[in-house]
């Protein structure tokens, strides 16, 4: 037996017990006649003491050879500490060592294995197995485990059945790029790794399973950022004989359960907002509603005043920044430079200070009088002491730019509090969106989303105005889940494929299995998928997902620890019938 107790377990009530511990050397302190070593494992730290008055001289000498991260086993007696440490649960006791064994020596780590480390992100990703020993990463992974267990228990208690779906499937032209896998036994043919189990979970509904879920790996070959990875995990769910309200109710319940279990927070309000309203009020379809700064559309009060920048714009919109009228010209210029960066793309910014005495001071005073600026304040909801910031241009670009500015200011003002949680349902998304590059419509969610019945007549005449039976769950400005009511009959699904540019033969070739299944009694069904990585990160008070994934990729999609992706042997390529030559 390597250990009788773990390193976070011993308390004052264990005094005089003989124990066996094993773990890693966190640090050691040698005072000559006495040596203290902090022994660490997953569960915590226990202080070991070697005392020349009570410890064998050979063991004392052995202890002096121990370096950081050596793996050791000790046997000894639990004693009360003279100098107690209230910062750790085991801080009232220590173990007087009687036996010491080195299980494995260790090189000096490339960074310190401590909460506040000297290792940069690239270095820590290269040695991820060492980074996992640090409490912040270890605790993030344990937190993820807790969330997944709660999800499984919650859904299982509602009679959901967990079913695994295939990882080697067929590539489809819709959505993000697929990762493809060549088939050795079928030369020249390829599998694709699933971007989601979408069609399989619909087939499970045709199969009569009624309620399905799966915590499943998905793969998308797309550009990465802080909250995206080429492989990610979904909590994937589907239900039969339901309407949208049923799905929203179930997953509101799951979100409430997680917030109550993890943070002891009771969330009662799950407000709902249409996609159109979200874009108008916040400039994006996943607004953070923990704070205000809603958009005020200023066209009617700012145009036709001889200011051509506004007069020529499709949209003039502003936000009221609370308490920021005290900003200096230097601070405002810095914000202007921020919105002019290529990542945001604004050509400039107009400001108006709402002074505490009720007057206004703007960067366009030569065009607008006090009465005009007062109307700006009225439209944006600005109060005395606030700062109004205004952008203009084409409607879509201006909303996106102002949304980015709103989020940046909220960050600077400390309004995005990680321990505050504000969920929101966004509904009634457009069914289709036009792509200038391909010159055709694409499904905003996926081709299997049902149009709203009342908009079906628009599919032939004005497809861009058709709303989808689709919904996203937003938490703190992040989309954590999305889903829809699905099409469940062959005629409507064929019509959808037609509007997405598929010929009848192409639709049959790509999705014939699904169209055929719909002819055998497919029930009305719908579902939702949570992004587990993102959900866990937000519940953990973080914006990025990397620390909640055991072995993440970097921004280039590389695993720098194992150096993947990598070239493969020419013989393997030949077996796969691939004409690729490695230089």
């Amino acid at each position: 037996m390597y250990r009788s107790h773990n390193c976070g377990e011993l308390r004052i009530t264990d005094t005089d017990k003989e124990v066996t511990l094993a773990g890693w050397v966190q640090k050691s302190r040698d005072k000559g006649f006495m040596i203290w070593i902090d022994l660490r494992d997953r569960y915590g730290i226990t202080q070991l003491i070697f005392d020349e008055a009570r410890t064998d001289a050979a063991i004392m000498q052995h202890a002096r050879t121990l370096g950081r991260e050596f793996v050791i086993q000790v046997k000894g007696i639990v004693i009360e500490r003279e100098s107690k440490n209230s910062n750790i649960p085991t801080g009232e006791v220590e173990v007087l060592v009687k036996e010491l064994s080195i299980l494995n020596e260790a090189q000096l780590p490339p960074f310190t294995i401590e909460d506040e480390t000297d290792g940069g992100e690239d270095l820590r990703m290269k040695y991820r197995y060492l980074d996992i020993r640090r409490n912040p990463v270890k605790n993030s992974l344990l937190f993820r485990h807790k969330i997944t267990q709660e999800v499984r228990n919650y859904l299982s208690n509602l009679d959901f059945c967990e079913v695994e779906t295939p990882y080697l499937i067929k590539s489809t032209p819709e959505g993000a790029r697929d990762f493809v896998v060549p088939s050795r036994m079928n030369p020249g043919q390829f599998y694709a790794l699933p971007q989601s189990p979408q069609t399989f979970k619909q087939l499970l509904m045709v199969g009569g399973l009624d309620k399905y879920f799966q915590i499943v790996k998905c793969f998308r070959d797309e550009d990465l950022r802080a909250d995206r990875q080429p492989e990610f995990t979904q909590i994937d769910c589907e239900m039969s004989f339901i309407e949208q309200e049923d799905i929203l109710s179930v997953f509101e319940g799951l979100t409430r359960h997680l917030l109550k279990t993890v943070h002891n927070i009771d969330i009662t309000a799950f407000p709902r907002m249409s996609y159109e309203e979200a874009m108008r009020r916040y400039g994006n379809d996943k607004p953070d509603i923990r704070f205000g700064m809603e958009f005020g559309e200023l066209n009617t009060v700012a145009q036709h005043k001889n200011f051509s920048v506004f007069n020529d714009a499709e949209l003039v919109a502003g936000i009221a920044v609370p308490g920021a009228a005290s900003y200096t010209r230097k601070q405002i210029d810095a914000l202007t430079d921020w919105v002019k960066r290529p990542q945001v793309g604004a050509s400039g910014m107009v400001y108006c200070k709402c002074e505490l005495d009720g007057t206004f001071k703007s960067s366009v005073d030569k065009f607008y009088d006090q009465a005009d600026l007062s109307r700006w304040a009225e439209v944006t909801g600005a109060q005395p002491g606030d700062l109004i910031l205004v952008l203009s241009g084409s409607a879509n670009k201006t909303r996106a730019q102002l949304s980015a500015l709103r989020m940046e200011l909220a960050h600077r003002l400390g309004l995005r509090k990680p321990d505050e949680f504000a969920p929101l349902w966004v509904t009634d998304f457009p069914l289709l969106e036009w792509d200038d590059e391909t010159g055709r419509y694409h499904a905003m969610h996926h081709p299997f989303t049902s149009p709203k019945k009342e908009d079906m007549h628009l599919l032939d005449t004005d497809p861009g105005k058709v709303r989808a039976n689709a919904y996203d769950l937003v938490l703190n400005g992040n989309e954590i889940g999305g889903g829809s009511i699905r099409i469940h009959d062959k005629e409507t699904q064929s019509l959808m494929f037609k509007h997405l540019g598929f010929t009848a033969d192409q639709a049959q070739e790509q999705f014939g299995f699904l169209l055929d299944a719909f002819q055998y009694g497919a029930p009305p069904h719908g579902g939702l998928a949570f992004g587990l990585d993102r959900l866990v990160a937000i519940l953990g008070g973080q914006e990025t997902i990397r620390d909640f994934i055991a072995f993440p990729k970097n921004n280039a999609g590389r695993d720098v620890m194992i150096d993947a992706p990598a070239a493969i042997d020419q013989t393997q390529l030949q077996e796969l019938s691939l004409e690729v030559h490695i230089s």
Side-chain angles (χ1 to χ4, degrees):
M1 185 171 63
Y2 276 107
R3 55 188 178 184
S4 60
H5 298 74
N6 64 56
C7 292
E9 189 175 351
L10 298 176
R11 299 292 187 271
I12 194 69
T13 53
D14 295 305
T15 302
D16 297 329
K17 279 185 182 177
E18 185 172 275
V19 297
T20 304
L21 302 180
W24 289 264
V25 174
Q26 174 79 17
K27 63 175 64 170
S28 62
R29 300 175 298 282
D30 189 344
K31 297 298 183 182
F33 64 93
M34 200 170 287
I35 303 170
W36 291 274
I37 288 176
D38 288 345
L39 187 66
R40 183 194 73 243
D41 65 8
R42 165 187 154 183
Y43 306 95
I45 288 176
T46 295
Q47 180 169 282
L48 311 179
I49 182 170
F50 300 78
D51 179 0
E52 65 180 19
R54 295 175 287 177
T55 304
D56 185 84
I59 295 176
M60 288 287 289
Q61 188 58 37
H62 205 188
R64 288 193 168 94
T65 68
L66 301 178
R68 279 180 176 264
E69 301 307 309
F70 274 41
V71 186
I72 65 172
Q73 180 192 48
V74 297
K75 294 182 180 179
I77 305 297
V78 180
I79 61 174
E80 185 175 359
R81 284 176 65 160
E82 289 186 12
S83 178
K84 295 180 173 54
N85 182 355
S86 60
N87 295 321
I88 57 175
T90 60
E92 290 188 292
V93 297
E94 58 193 356
V95 174
L96 178 63
V97 178
K98 300 296 185 183
E99 296 180 30
L100 167 64
S101 300
I102 296 178
L103 302 177
N104 213 336
E105 295 183 358
Q107 294 183 23
L108 186 68
F111 54 87
T112 55
I113 313 297
E114 293 179 356
D115 291 3
E116 299 297 328
T117 182
D118 55 354
E121 186 173 0
D122 291 342
L123 184 64
R124 289 185 290 109
M125 287 187 71
K126 181 177 175 64
Y127 296 94
R128 183 64 167 181
Y129 46 86
L130 297 180
D131 203 25
I132 290 171
R133 295 180 191 174
R134 296 193 313 114
N135 283 326
V137 181
K138 176 197 73 177
N139 291 337
S140 292
L141 296 179
L142 294 175
F143 182 75
R144 181 188 178 107
H145 165 71
K146 179 178 181 179
I147 296 295
T148 56
Q149 291 302 101
E150 290 296 336
V151 168
R152 277 197 166 91
N153 292 338
Y154 180 87
L155 293 174
S156 296
N157 287 336
L158 291 179
D159 293 328
F160 279 78
C161 175
E162 186 168 9
V163 181
E164 294 181 41
T165 53
Y167 276 170
L168 295 174
I169 64 169
K170 186 178 184 179
S171 182
T172 60
E174 287 292 318
R177 296 182 188 89
D178 288 325
F179 282 101
V180 295
V181 181
S183 171
R184 180 182 59 81
M185 292 185 291
N186 300 276
Q189 296 186 313
F190 297 82
Y191 298 106
L193 299 179
Q195 297 183 31
S196 87
Q198 181 61 45
T199 54
F200 289 100
K201 65 180 180 180
Q202 290 189 248
L203 293 171
L204 288 172
M205 296 303 100
V206 178
L209 276 187
D210 193 68
K211 290 180 179 180
Y212 140 95
F213 86 98
Q214 183 181 189
I215 297 179
V216 59
K217 278 282 189 184
C218 301
F219 307 85
R220 291 179 187 169
D221 189 6
E222 58 185 358
D223 295 335
L224 307 177
R225 54 178 189 250
D227 61 346
R228 282 188 182 170
Q229 289 273 301
E231 54 179 307
F232 57 96
T233 306
Q234 285 187 179
I235 306 166
D236 198 59
C237 306
E238 198 80 2
M239 303 165 65
S240 292
F241 302 111
I242 45 80
E243 296 177 337
Q244 177 174 301
E245 199 62 37
D246 301 300
I247 294 175
L248 269 54
S249 176
V250 167
F251 293 101
E252 280 183 19
L254 174 58
T255 307
R256 282 194 183 96
H257 173 74
L258 293 175
L259 285 167
K260 180 65 176 177
T261 302
V262 173
H263 292 296
N264 198 29
I265 292 174
D266 290 304
I267 295 288
T268 55
F270 278 74
R272 299 183 187 182
M273 188 181 298
S274 70
Y275 169 85
E276 183 180 8
E277 183 184 358
M279 296 302 293
R280 177 173 51 81
R281 290 171 60 184
Y282 298 101
N284 68 54
D285 58 4
K286 47 182 182 293
D288 191 335
I289 60 171
R290 286 175 293 179
F291 55 93
M293 289 195 283
E294 291 188 26
F295 292 8
E297 296 190 0
L298 299 168
N299 291 49
T300 57
V301 297
Q303 290 183 325
H304 315 300
K305 297 288 182 178
N306 298 321
F307 185 48
S308 60
V309 172
F310 284 176
N311 290 345
D312 297 340
E314 182 184 2
L315 176 67
V316 183
I319 56 174
V321 187
S326 60
Y327 276 22
T328 64
R329 182 60 186 270
K330 184 178 180 180
Q331 287 175 294
I332 295 173
D333 286 346
L335 282 174
T336 303
D337 291 340
W338 191 89
V339 298
K340 290 169 74 172
R341 297 178 313 143
Q343 299 95 316
V344 180
S347 56
M349 184 174 72
V350 168
Y351 74 85
C352 173
K353 292 185 175 185
C354 305
E355 306 289 6
L356 292 172
D357 63 4
T359 61
F360 302 92
K361 174 64 180 173
S362 82
S363 55
V364 287
D365 279 349
K366 65 185 290 187
F367 299 103
Y368 298 93
D369 59 26
Q370 292 290 297
D372 294 326
L373 299 176
S374 175
R375 286 191 281 273
W376 289 19
E378 185 178 338
V379 171
T380 59
Q383 301 296 315
D386 292 351
L387 174 68
I388 303 171
L389 299 177
V390 184
L391 300 179
S392 63
S394 66
N396 289 343
K397 286 185 178 179
T398 300
R399 287 193 175 103
Q401 292 160 359
L402 196 57
S403 174
L405 177 61
R406 174 180 180 267
M407 295 296 279
E408 175 66 17
L409 285 164
H411 174 72
R412 295 186 185 190
L413 295 170
L415 301 177
R416 304 193 69 198
K417 299 174 182 175
D419 56 350
E420 236 178 70
F421 297 94
L424 169 73
W425 285 109
V426 178
T427 64
D428 298 347
F429 283 82
L431 181 71
L432 306 168
E433 55 184 347
W434 181 259
D435 187 325
D436 289 327
E437 191 174 319
T438 59
R440 64 183 180 90
Y441 281 105
H442 290 262
M444 180 171 266
H445 280 74
H446 53 61
F448 318 107
T449 295
S450 172
K452 284 193 169 289
K453 291 179 182 178
E454 59 268 33
D455 290 354
M456 282 288 291
H457 67 284
L458 296 171
L459 265 175
D460 288 320
T461 58
D462 197 355
K465 287 191 176 178
V466 178
R467 293 168 301 160
N469 238 326
Y471 34 83
D472 280 356
L473 182 56
V474 177
L475 185 62
N476 295 359
N478 293 272
E479 175 204 332
I480 60 167
S484 65
I485 300 298
R486 322 301 186 190
I487 297 168
H488 68 278
D489 65 279
K490 182 176 180 178
E491 291 72 24
T492 306
Q493 188 64 74
S494 297
L495 182 62
M496 183 68 171
F497 286 142
K498 174 186 171 185
H499 282 283
L500 291 171
F502 288 80
T503 66
D505 287 343
Q506 288 172 331
Q508 186 64 33
E509 180 185 351
Q510 289 289 335
F511 301 107
F513 63 93
L514 186 65
L515 295 171
D516 291 345
F518 283 171
Q519 298 179 100
Y520 291 95
H525 61 281
L528 179 143
F530 277 98
L532 178 64
D533 310 299
R534 194 174 303 170
L535 172 64
V536 171
I538 294 168
L539 291 176
Q542 303 293 323
E543 287 288 323
T544 57
I545 63 177
R546 230 173 247 159
D547 276 353
F548 296 88
I549 299 173
F551 299 103
K553 308 289 191 292
N554 67 11
N555 285 342
R558 294 196 65 83
D559 186 325
V560 296
M561 183 184 68
I562 64 172
D563 193 24
I568 62 173
D569 186 86
Q570 188 72 33
T571 304
Q572 289 177 279
L573 292 172
Q574 290 170 351
E575 287 179 340
L576 295 169
S577 303
L578 295 177
E579 296 297 324
V580 178
H581 298 281
I582 302 173
S583 58

